Amino acid sequence: MTTNRQESLLEQIHFPSDLRNLPVDRLEDVCEELRQYIIDVLSKTPGHLGANLGTVELAVALHYVFDTPYDRIVWDVGHQAYGHKILTGRREAFQTLRQYKGLSGFPNPQESEYDAFIAGHASNSISAALGMATAFEINNESDRHVVAVIGDGAMTGGLAFEGLNNASANPNNLLIILNDNDMSIDNSVGGLSRYLVDITTSQTYNKIRYDVYCKLRKLNLISEDRRENILRFNNSLKALINRQHNLFEGFSIRYFGPVDGHDVNNLVQKLKDIKDMQGPKLLHLKTKKGKGFEPAEQSAIEWHAPGCFDKETGRRIVPERLNQPQLYQDVFGHTLVELAEKDKRIAGITPAMPTGCSMGFMMKAFPNRAFDVGIAEGHAVTFSAGLAKEGMIPFCNIYSSFMQRGYDEVIHDVAILKLHVIFCLDRAGLVGEDGMTHHGAFDLAYLRPIPNLVISSPLNEIDLRNLMYTAYQTPDGPFVIRYPRGKGELENWQNTMELLPIGKGRQLHEGSDVAVLSIGSIGNEVIKAIKMAEKEGISIAHYDMIFLKPLDEALLHDVGKRFAHIITVENGTVIGGLGTAVAEFMCEHGYTPRIRRIGIPDAFIEHGSIPELFRQCGMDAESILQTLRLTRKENKQAVIEI
């Protein structure tokens, strides 16, 4: 037993300093153990598998060459940083990944000093790392290095290009590593290309290059102002010899690559060669998503986040869904196809989430009317606006949290022009194990102030279909439908779609003690709570608002006149959403009920299962019941005092 532990290199690595004590010829063994450990844990604890298997060698090489955490590594996207987590003091805790009170699935500086920046969304690494590198320059900390690791589609985001464009504007020594696991940004041309990588990354070449640069400056033949022109000339000469050119050289960033991202020894050498070079530089790695686990190598999409699986057979362990409600995303996908079959003006748009939002159904049925625009939410919104301007009816499906990156475009490119764009916000509310960067907490609050929007949320799958149909049939401006992650409520959801009256809610339950106003599927928790409350003699009136904007003012007038106590329930932040809207209405019209708001509190909620998070936020049926009891008690006390 003791011998085996001594032979396990990974068990000896508690922090990167332990890794750096190993001879370089042991790094391949470390990579093999690290890859196997990721497979072992994720087979039982679901997480992002494919991307992390592809970055094993990169994580090892980075922590071997750089003095982390004094040197900074910014991972982007964050779901490719599991190897990094394991090497930085979290190996034993890794089995709690994405579980309630366990490790986050993404880098987070609050979790570890080795996590240089938060990275739940994509494309922020270059900008954040550039800021860090510039700060080190200003503070004369020239011995500190900053590395931005960008890949797994993150380079398609507009923010990445904004960072690239600014990288050569100020003095910095930023190193950008492009983990290219499926993009054709640059193509290798065989032996000549590898030779150029070797010669241009060698210390000898770059020492000569730098010495010549210093002598020319001393002779006043070149200046720092003309440095960009020199870089462009150097890159152009290299492109001429190599018979290829790439985007990064156009940004005046020194480019090296492509390099085999799975050859850890060569990768270590390349990083050592370029780490102390002056100015921004980019190392282009070619990697394979799912590397080292054949099923994941063969099907990168399926094994991106496969859930539990048998590591020996490669069989995914998928729970049977017989006689179960459909996922909300699948109801959306099938309904969109159903509508598109009847109207050729309907189009589907998604920013890099065709599987996650079930846009794949539309892509298969109508490939010329379904578009994956990459990780580019702002573009997705404005692209949809352009389609709508010319008579198309776009259903733009964006995760609620990711929609925040398209906020400006919603206002300026859609709402002002009152264009007929239908925004379907998937993953609205608490989403579970992906945690604080992915919770759709803010959409009701941030969309409500925007003029010309209709904002709605379905109680169940039938309501989702009816809202999609209503949005399609309502050409007067943009229409928002937000719905949660996960399965719905109904086995039989394929109804004949109906038009819903815009801005009208409905009463689901009669009662006299207190009025509960809910919006969206969280209303099903209210329904459960009311059933329990009735057994205790509490009389609850329950209203499903359906629409946040416009509000059902007739319904609210009735509630304001009849009830002294109101409870609002929403799967979103309590600041600015339904509860705030109801309180504003009551105040403006002279009603004075006591209002309690149930929803996501004014805090960033960490990861865990949705039932666990509902309990934490007081949004589950039992917690709502407790609030009903308290409200009834206060109501009785008020009557006694009168």
Side-chain angles (χ1 to χ4, degrees):
M1 198 74 167
T2 304
T3 304
N4 289 337
R5 288 190 176 179
Q6 289 178 343
E7 291 176 350
S8 174
L9 290 172
L10 193 58
E11 288 186 350
Q12 299 174 39
I13 300 171
H14 303 287
F15 293 98
S17 55
D18 301 318
L19 175 68
R20 291 190 282 269
N21 286 331
L22 295 174
V24 71
D25 61 6
R26 299 304 309 274
L27 296 185
E28 289 185 1
D29 297 328
V30 173
C31 292
E32 180 60 32
E33 291 185 22
L34 181 57
R35 179 170 280 112
Q36 191 56 53
Y37 186 66
I38 291 173
I39 294 171
D40 289 345
V41 173
L42 295 193
S43 67
K44 305 179 185 70
T45 304
H48 293 92
L49 180 71
N52 285 288
L53 294 183
T55 57
V56 166
E57 286 80 10
L58 176 57
V60 170
L62 284 172
H63 284 294
Y64 193 77
V65 173
F66 291 94
D67 183 20
T68 54
Y70 185 70
D71 292 336
R72 305 296 198 192
I73 302 174
V74 181
W75 291 87
D76 176 12
V77 289
H79 66 231
Q80 60 179 349
Y82 289 2
H84 155 81
K85 282 180 176 272
I86 294 166
L87 294 171
T88 54
R90 289 167 278 182
R91 177 175 54 81
E92 293 182 359
F94 188 64
Q95 299 186 44
T96 69
L97 184 75
R98 303 173 80 244
Q99 298 175 29
Y100 191 58
K101 303 298 182 182
L103 287 185
S104 168
F106 304 96
N108 185 346
Q110 295 173 342
E111 182 179 284
S112 171
E113 64 177 335
Y114 288 91
D115 292 355
F117 208 76
I118 198 160
H121 289 190
S123 311
N124 66 342
S125 59
I126 297 174
S127 296
L130 178 59
M132 295 176 185
T134 302
F136 292 159
E137 287 292 323
I138 293 171
N139 294 326
N140 295 316
E141 297 178 283
S142 58
D143 61 328
R144 302 186 74 175
H145 301 85
V146 184
V147 183
V149 181
I150 185 166
D152 206 41
M155 190 59 86
T156 63
L159 183 60
F161 291 92
E162 293 177 22
L164 283 172
N165 187 54
N166 191 231
S168 62
N170 303 303
N172 67 83
N173 294 322
L174 174 64
L175 170 59
I176 303 167
I177 294 181
L178 172 61
N179 174 35
D180 177 6
N181 59 15
D182 59 7
M183 295 182 292
S184 298
I185 292 175
D186 210 336
N187 294 312
S188 173
V189 291
L192 177 60
S193 176
R194 183 172 179 83
Y195 169 75
L196 286 171
V197 170
D198 290 339
I199 193 171
T200 56
T201 59
S202 73
Q203 291 177 333
T204 302
Y205 167 84
N206 283 285
K207 186 177 186 305
I208 294 172
R209 182 179 179 277
Y210 183 67
D211 288 346
V212 170
Y213 169 73
C214 291
K215 288 177 181 178
L216 290 174
R217 279 206 65 183
K218 198 171 184 179
L219 295 170
N220 293 320
L221 295 177
I222 63 171
S223 65
E224 191 62 31
D225 293 337
R226 296 172 58 196
R227 183 171 174 272
E228 287 192 12
N229 293 331
I230 300 296
L231 275 172
R232 285 195 179 97
F233 174 75
N234 179 70
N235 287 331
S236 297
L237 181 62
K238 197 161 51 171
L240 179 65
I241 298 171
N242 204 18
R243 298 184 181 180
Q244 58 182 350
H245 192 74
N246 67 67
L247 172 70
F248 310 108
E249 291 163 346
F251 285 113
S252 298
I253 295 173
R254 297 189 64 187
Y255 170 86
F256 306 100
V259 172
D260 181 358
H262 298 304
D263 184 345
V264 67
N265 293 330
N266 183 53
L267 188 51
V268 165
Q269 187 58 53
K270 293 294 179 287
L271 290 173
K272 287 181 176 180
D273 288 343
I274 67 176
K275 69 178 286 193
D276 293 319
M277 288 181 185
Q278 300 298 299
K281 46 208 169 285
L282 183 141
L283 178 62
H284 179 179
L285 306 185
K286 296 292 289 185
T287 63
K288 189 169 186 62
K289 201 167 183 177
K291 175 70 174 177
F293 189 63
E294 186 174 353
E297 289 188 21
Q298 296 300 318
S299 182
I301 294 176
E302 182 181 356
W303 288 85
H304 172 70
C308 295
F309 59 93
D310 187 324
K311 65 181 182 180
E312 302 299 332
T313 65
R315 181 180 63 85
R316 292 179 61 200
I317 303 172
V318 181
E320 289 190 16
R321 296 186 54 82
L322 297 176
N323 301 319
Q324 291 285 318
Q326 286 274 351
L327 299 174
Y328 275 102
Q329 67 186 54
D330 288 344
V331 173
F332 159 80
H334 290 302
T335 303
L336 181 60
V337 171
E338 193 174 332
L339 292 171
E341 288 172 343
K342 300 174 182 177
D343 194 328
K344 65 180 182 180
R345 296 175 299 166
I346 289 177
I349 298 91
T350 178
M353 290 295 174
T355 301
C357 75
S358 296
M359 188 67 74
F361 299 135
M362 180 75 174
M363 290 178 166
K364 183 177 180 180
F366 302 103
N368 64 323
R369 286 192 274 148
F371 307 93
D372 177 359
V373 301
I375 302 177
E377 288 79 8
H379 167 63
V381 172
T382 304
F383 176 65
S384 298
L387 288 169
K389 184 67 170 59
E390 299 304 326
M392 298 293 288
I393 303 175
F395 280 75
C396 182
N397 189 303
I398 301 178
Y399 286 10
S400 169
S401 179
F402 297 174
M403 183 60 161
Q404 292 155 194
R405 294 188 290 207
Y407 188 67
D408 182 73
E409 289 77 12
V410 171
I411 296 173
H412 288 275
D413 300 335
V414 178
I416 288 176
L417 296 177
K418 294 188 69 174
L419 293 173
H420 190 196
V421 176
I422 300 161
F423 294 109
C424 296
L425 304 190
D426 198 345
R427 270 64 168 179
L430 296 170
V431 300
E433 290 80 3
D434 283 334
M436 64 179 71
T437 57
H438 283 58
H439 294 316
F442 307 110
D443 55 86
L444 292 176
Y446 69 64
L447 292 172
R448 190 168 71 90
I450 302 175
N452 297 334
L453 286 186
V454 172
I455 305 171
S456 65
S457 190
L459 179 70
N460 54 40
E461 303 94 302
I462 288 177
D463 285 345
L464 174 56
R465 285 169 56 79
N466 288 340
L467 284 170
M468 290 177 67
Y469 181 69
T470 302
Y472 155 64
Q473 292 280 17
T474 307
D476 186 27
F479 200 113
V480 177
I481 308 169
R482 53 109 64 181
Y483 51 91
R485 180 186 185 186
K487 67 181 182 179
E489 306 295 326
L490 309 170
E491 292 181 30
N492 300 315
W493 53 270
Q494 291 179 300
N495 66 312
T496 299
M497 288 178 274
E498 302 174 2
L499 275 174
L500 299 180
I502 302 295
K504 290 297 179 182
R506 61 193 174 195
Q507 185 168 8
L508 299 180
H509 195 271
E510 291 276 2
S512 57
D513 288 338
V514 60
V516 179
L517 280 57
S518 65
I519 188 167
S521 65
I522 194 67
N524 293 288
E525 293 296 315
V526 176
I527 292 171
K528 296 174 189 174
I530 289 175
K531 288 180 179 178
M532 293 186 286
E534 281 186 319
K535 296 177 182 178
E536 301 178 15
I538 308 175
S539 181
I540 310 297
H542 181 200
Y543 300 86
D544 175 22
M545 298 303 293
I546 305 175
F547 294 92
L548 178 66
K549 190 172 185 176
L551 283 168
D552 188 339
E553 295 194 356
L555 184 156
L556 291 178
H557 276 298
D558 181 58
V559 169
K561 293 172 183 176
R562 292 175 53 206
F563 293 93
H565 289 78
I566 297 173
I567 298 172
T568 62
V569 185
E570 56 199 304
N571 190 358
T573 177
V574 294
I575 297 178
L578 174 66
T580 301
V582 171
E584 290 171 354
F585 179 90
M586 296 298 166
C587 179
E588 288 169 3
H589 292 87
Y591 302 115
T592 57
R594 168 70 190 274
I595 299 175
R596 273 196 168 87
R597 297 176 297 168
I598 295 176
I600 301 173
D602 185 21
F604 290 107
I605 307 302
E606 295 190 5
H607 51 279
S609 70
I610 289 176
E612 288 170 329
L613 299 182
F614 273 9
R615 283 194 295 273
Q616 177 181 328
C617 295
M619 295 161 53
D620 65 309
E622 184 60 40
S623 298
I624 294 171
L625 175 61
Q626 295 292 342
T627 304
L628 291 173
R629 289 169 177 159
L630 178 61
T631 303
R632 183 201 189 197
K633 182 178 178 181
E634 290 179 348
N635 197 14
K636 284 187 174 182
Q637 184 65 37
V639 171
I640 292 172
E641 290 174 357
I642 291 172

